[in-house]
Amino acid sequence: MMSSKVIHALYNDDEVVLEAVKKVKAANHHIEEVFCPFPVHGLDKAMGLAPTRIAIASFFYGLTGLSIAIWLTWYTMIDNWPQDIGGKPSFSWGENMPAFVPIMFELTVFFAAHLMVITFYMRSRIWPFKKAENPDPRTTDDHFLMEVPVHGDEEELTALLKETGAVEINVVEVEDAH
């Protein structure tokens, strides 16, 4: 295993960290990660992250839920156990569809929401009982941490981070898993 250095720059304001990310990226430094206590609007664009495709997945998950709802209402109310409800016997799904709209809506939302959460956890590699990867517990309360690998002049990078408004800068040795 090889070890390398990263700099943890701590900030205490979301607007300051957003501007700092822009300045560090403009100076051609790679930002490994930014840890925040809450979402910061525009941080993903400032870091140059690709847009997420979870909305596309959500659409297909919703279609899956809608398809299952249509099949379920047809199977239970038309095919398997047709009933004369309120004196209105209608044994076709199309004529009964308005009564099935709440079921179709609820299953569409149920499938989209639950499968999106599962997809998010799998993509983020957040498993039950996984050890937290947060380098500083203050980022869950009121601080923002920018993690920048040191590739070159450590003093120049530290000076740049101080210039961007960092309240604390720590150089940390990390073990590479390669």
Side-chain angles (χ1 to χ4, degrees):
M1 284 196 195
M2 236 174 98
S3 70
S4 59
K5 289 183 181 180
V6 294
I7 294 181
H8 289 168
L10 282 142
Y11 298 85
N12 58 9
D13 185 75
D14 57 331
E15 292 176 14
V16 173
V17 78
L18 184 58
E19 288 304 313
V21 165
K22 291 175 184 175
K23 289 177 185 174
V24 170
K25 291 296 278 183
N28 294 322
H29 291 284
H30 173 70
I31 299 172
E32 192 66 35
E33 187 66 76
V34 178
F35 296 88
C36 304
F38 55 83
V40 177
H41 181 71
L43 187 60
D44 52 343
K45 278 191 176 150
M47 288 181 66
L49 300 176
T52 178
R53 293 186 304 262
I54 198 151
I56 297 166
S58 174
F59 175 75
F60 286 109
Y61 296 154
L63 278 181
T64 302
L66 179 63
S67 301
I68 289 173
I70 289 169
W71 175 83
L72 182 69
T73 54
W74 170 81
Y75 180 73
T76 58
M77 298 301 290
I78 307 301
D79 183 57
N80 189 37
W81 193 284
Q83 298 178 46
D84 181 349
I85 299 173
K88 299 176 188 171
S90 176
F91 302 119
S92 76
W93 188 88
E95 290 179 82
N96 286 307
M97 193 274 297
F100 302 147
V101 167
I103 296 163
M104 294 187 304
F105 172 76
E106 291 298 332
L107 283 181
T108 299
V109 171
F110 180 85
F111 271 74
H114 285 79
L115 292 174
M116 272 185 4
V117 168
I118 292 167
T119 301
F120 172 76
Y121 284 155
M122 289 173 59
R123 288 286 298 142
S124 301
R125 293 184 173 92
I126 301 175
W127 315 115
F129 312 109
K130 183 179 185 230
K131 186 179 179 298
E133 296 177 5
N134 191 355
D136 193 313
R138 292 177 288 180
T139 60
T140 62
D141 186 22
D142 62 350
H143 278 73
F144 303 83
L145 185 141
M146 184 190 317
E147 187 175 85
V148 184
V150 177
H151 298 299
D153 190 4
E154 183 181 320
E155 285 79 28
E156 179 263 329
L157 182 55
T158 304
L160 173 65
L161 292 169
K162 275 186 184 153
E163 186 181 299
T164 63
V167 293
E168 183 180 323
I169 297 175
N170 301 313
V171 179
V172 180
E173 292 277 339
V174 292
E175 292 289 326
D176 289 336
H178 305 347

